[in-house]
Amino acid sequence: GTPVCRAISWNCTRTESIVRRDHSRIEEMSKKRTGLPIASYFSATKLAWLREKQNWIFNDESQILFGTIDTFLLYRLSGKFVTDVTNASRTLLFNIHTLDWD
């Protein structure tokens, strides 16, 4: 795979406006499913930012892989797109009770 944009690191704060805007609407659901508060350092807020600011990336969603640095490195080394529960649980996209993606 070829990266479609530059990496957005965990400490990037450009997603703060999304967190402030959506906090009250999704905070309770997020904590219930993921055990985490809505915060700019989790992957889901980065994905939301990309959808809003660089939506051209999603023109062909079947071709997009999105993950943490471990998924990128494992994909480059093995050709497989995988992660483990500990990294998945830090994305705000993984349900820690069902161990599945929401």
Side-chain angles (χ1 to χ4, degrees):
T2 304
V4 294
C5 65
R6 298 179 80 170
I8 302 175
S9 70
W10 68 270
N11 61 350
C12 176
T13 59
R14 70 182 104 175
T15 63
E16 276 297 321
S17 62
I18 292 171
V19 171
R20 282 192 303 275
R21 181 192 69 207
D22 296 342
H23 183 273
S24 63
R25 184 173 58 85
I26 59 178
E27 177 78 9
E28 186 177 331
M29 177 189 64
S30 174
K31 280 189 177 180
K32 183 179 177 184
R33 291 181 180 176
T34 70
L36 300 170
I38 301 299
S40 64
Y41 47 83
F42 296 124
S43 303
T45 63
K46 312 303 188 200
L47 189 59
W49 185 89
L50 285 170
R51 274 208 175 277
E52 288 184 13
K53 305 296 184 184
Q54 297 186 19
N55 63 353
W56 61 269
I57 292 172
F58 300 93
N59 289 342
D60 184 2
E61 292 184 37
S62 64
Q63 299 300 312
I64 299 295
L65 300 175
F66 182 84
T68 56
I69 190 65
D70 69 305
T71 58
F72 177 75
L73 293 174
L74 287 168
Y75 183 75
R76 287 293 193 162
L77 293 171
S78 71
K80 297 177 182 176
F81 190 72
V82 295
T83 192
D84 70 305
V85 172
T86 61
N87 281 307
S89 69
R90 307 306 288 173
T91 64
L92 291 179
L93 302 169
F94 189 77
N95 187 316
I96 62 171
H97 306 289
T98 63
L99 300 180
D100 202 1
W101 299 98
D102 279 342

